[in-house]
């Protein structure tokens, strides 16, 4: 019987017909071929359904990871999360890491959640000893830190991602990382580090003629300019601007023209600066992108302002302010207000300077609130990652404890089998009272004592003594004794748990073993016994008054040996006798 829909029935010829793990494997292999995405997705869905039906955790995890890589959106995210949980249970940390990385990729529009997934992936990759996966996670974390405005964390993550690559030598895939590092180092006022990053990027992008090549050239130009070598800076910036123009990239072209003009201005080459700024204004005007035009207007206005050409600067600043407000470019509007303050002060207009200062202050407060909010988002992502990893550690510890407990239980079963073999031909029960025999009880006490030492758990033992006022003579007395012993044994078994053991200890004594129980817990059960014995109708058994109980209780504590524990409980039983009827004494 097949389970593929009619439109996929032609694939059945490649699949085993029985619903077995082999069919799941065949579906996975088939979906990995050059099939239409819709068909591959449907085949993987059927593979997952069958794996779940077979309770095959490993195959279910692999199908979900494949679906997460093939699909997008919420469906892919759900599969990635489910697969990660399964691989965690399977102790397959490398594939668990891949699931976390896929989540980070799918969550890119949500930077906080994506950063959380990236940090988790980086830690998992480190645990797995997989430097390649860890480098991927660090690079993605760097992107997200940068988006959230944490430049220092972004630099650290990017640099770790580079160090972890093969042979610690940058590769072509590292080009975007190096460019990002260069920009981040420049913002952090670290020109030497920026220069090294841009130089490595330039070697990787040499003669490629790509936007990345233009950025590497431009970055080197900015680095040289920051170091005071404006002539050298102009060479690189000119090449970056020309390449950007050839690529039809208005944003890059305008940016590098602006930087060239500023470099000319710093060399007091004002004619050239004016000419290049003119080219920049022309390119920005034809770009059709308001942010490019506003930034160019601000750059030219600042230059004019520095040259004392206040009227021309005022015209451009008014245009830039209007455009930035209309396009909601908060950073550009803030810069425009700051320059208008400088302009007003230069003109001696204190009132106008104050008005622009107030406008700038309001915008700056908003920017600070935004930076604080993004900083909080970084803290939130870090805390969430730490929480997820802590919960994962707890789950792993619980699973390890359960595995150890199962192993111990298996050993106990084996030991019981050996004991049963050793006890063949001898009675496990005391025929007179119906309780377990003394031999069985002492053997169980020894086993429980050893287990208590290994697992560092509690162990309590009680000796329950019985005294009957009615004389026991001849056959009638023997029958009465058996009746009393059997009744007390029944009351004892009703008062303790099923996991506790009641065994005959002496003629008128029982021993009670309380595994994994402190003396405080055992006292509760033994007190129930005293109350039950007092409430029982003993006249029906031929007694004029209830038997008297004397109970001694001892916990393992620092006692060395099962027999010593039993002896201490017996001594407490005699102390209870000395204190009076129905007494319970516990060894301190």
């Amino acid at each position: 019987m097949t389970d593929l829909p009619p439109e996929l029935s032609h694939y059945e010829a490649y699949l085993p017909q029985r619903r077995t793990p082999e069919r799941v494997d065949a579906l996975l292999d088939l979906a990995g071929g050059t099939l239409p995405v819709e068909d591959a997705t449907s085949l993987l869905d059927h593979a997952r359904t069958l794996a779940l039906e077979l309770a095959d955790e490993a195959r279910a995890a692999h199908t979900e990871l494949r679906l997460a890589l093939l699909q997008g959106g919420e469906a892919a995210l759900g599969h990635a999360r489910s697969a990660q949980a399964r691989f965690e249970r399977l102790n397959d940390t490398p594939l668990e890491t891949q699931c976390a990385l896929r989540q980070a990729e799918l969550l890119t529009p949500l930077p906080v959640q994506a950063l959380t997934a990236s940090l988790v992936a980086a830690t998992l990759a480190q645990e797995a000893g997989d430097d390649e996966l860890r480098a991927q996670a660090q690079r993605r974390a760097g992107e997200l830190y940068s988006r959230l405005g944490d430049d220092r964390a972004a630099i650290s993550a990017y640099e770790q991602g580079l160090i972890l690559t093969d042979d610690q030598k940058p590769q072509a895939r590292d080009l975007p990382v190096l460019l990002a590092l260069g920009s981040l180092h420049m913002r952090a006022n670290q020109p030497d580090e920026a220069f090294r990053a841009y130089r490595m990027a330039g070697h990787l992008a040499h003669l490629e003629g790509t936007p990345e090549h233009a950025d590497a050239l431009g970055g080197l130009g900015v680095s040289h300019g920051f170091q005071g070598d404006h002539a050298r800076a102009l060479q690189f910036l000119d090449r970056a601007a020309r390449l950007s123009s050839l690529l039809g990239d208005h944003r890059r072209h305008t940016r590098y023209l602006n930087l060239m003009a500023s470099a000319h201005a710093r060399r007091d080459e004002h004619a050239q600066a004016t000419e290049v700024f003119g080219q920049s204004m022309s390119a920005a005007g034809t770009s059709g992108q308001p942010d490019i035009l506003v930034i160019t207007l601000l750059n030219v206005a600042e230059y004019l302002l520095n040259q004392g050409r206040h009227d021309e600067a005022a015209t451009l600043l008014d245009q830039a302010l209007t455009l930035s407000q209309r396009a909601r470019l908060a950073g550009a509007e803030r810069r425009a207000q700051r320059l208008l303050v400088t302009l007003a002060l230069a003109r001696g207009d204190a009132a106008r300077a104050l008005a622009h200062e107030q406008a700038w202050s309001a915008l700056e407060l908003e920017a600070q609130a935004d930076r604080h909010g993004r900083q909080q988002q970084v803290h939130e992502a870090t805390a969430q990652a730490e929480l997820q990893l802590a919960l994962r550690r707890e789950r792993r510890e619980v699973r390890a404890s359960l595995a150890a407990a199962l192993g111990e239980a298996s050993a106990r079963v084996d030991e019981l089998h050996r004991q049963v073999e050793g006890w063949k031909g001898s009675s496990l029960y005391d025929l007179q009272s119906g309780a377990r025999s003394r031999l069985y009880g002492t053997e169980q006490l020894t086993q429980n004592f050893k287990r208590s030492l290994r697992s560092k758990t509690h162990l309590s033992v009680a000796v329950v003594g019985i005294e009957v006022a009615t004389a026991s003579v001849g056959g009638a007395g023997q029958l009465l004794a058996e009746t009393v012993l059997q009744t007390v044994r029944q009351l004892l078994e009703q008062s303790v748990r099923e996991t506790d053991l009641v065994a005959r200890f002496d003629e008128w004594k029982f021993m009670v073993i309380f595994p994994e129980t402190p003396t405080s817990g055992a006292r509760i059960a033994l007190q129930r016994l005293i109350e039950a014995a007092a409430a029982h109708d003993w006249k029906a058994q031929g007694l004029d008054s209830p038997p008297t109980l004397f109970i001694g209780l001892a916990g393992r504590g620092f006692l060395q040996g099962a027999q010593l524990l039993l002896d201490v409980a017996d001594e407490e039983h005699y102390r209870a006798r000395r204190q009076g009827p129905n007494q319970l004494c516990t060894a301190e």
Side-chain angles (χ1 to χ4, degrees), residues 74-107:
E74 287 296 323
L77 188 59
H79 287 311
R81 286 172 173 161
S82 179
Q84 182 178 346
R86 295 185 194 279
F87 284 125
E88 178 192 319
R89 292 192 290 271
L90 293 165
N91 291 321
D92 193 332
T93 307
L95 288 178
E96 187 184 353
T97 306
Q98 288 188 30
C99 294
L101 277 172
R102 179 56 176 159
Q103 289 177 59
E105 183 180 0
L106 293 166
L107 289 166

Side-chain angles (χ1 to χ4, degrees), residues 93 96-97 100-101 116-130 133-134 137-138 382 385-386 388-390 392-393:
T93 307
E96 187 184 353
T97 306
L101 277 172
T116 297
S118 298
L119 295 175
V120 169
T123 302
L124 294 178
Q126 183 177 12
E127 180 183 309
D130 193 320
L133 289 177
R134 189 177 170 203
Q138 292 289 4
T382 304
E386 291 174 351
Q388 289 184 24
L389 291 167
R392 176 180 177 271
R393 285 193 296 271

Side-chain angles (χ1 to χ4, degrees), residues 14-16 20-32 47 50-51 54 56 58-59 62-63 66:
Y14 305 97
L15 302 171
T20 60
E22 289 72 23
R23 181 176 173 87
V24 178
D25 294 339
L27 284 164
L28 287 168
D29 290 341
L30 193 57
L50 180 54
L54 296 171
D56 192 325
R59 287 180 171 84
H62 279 89
T63 56
R66 291 275 295 278

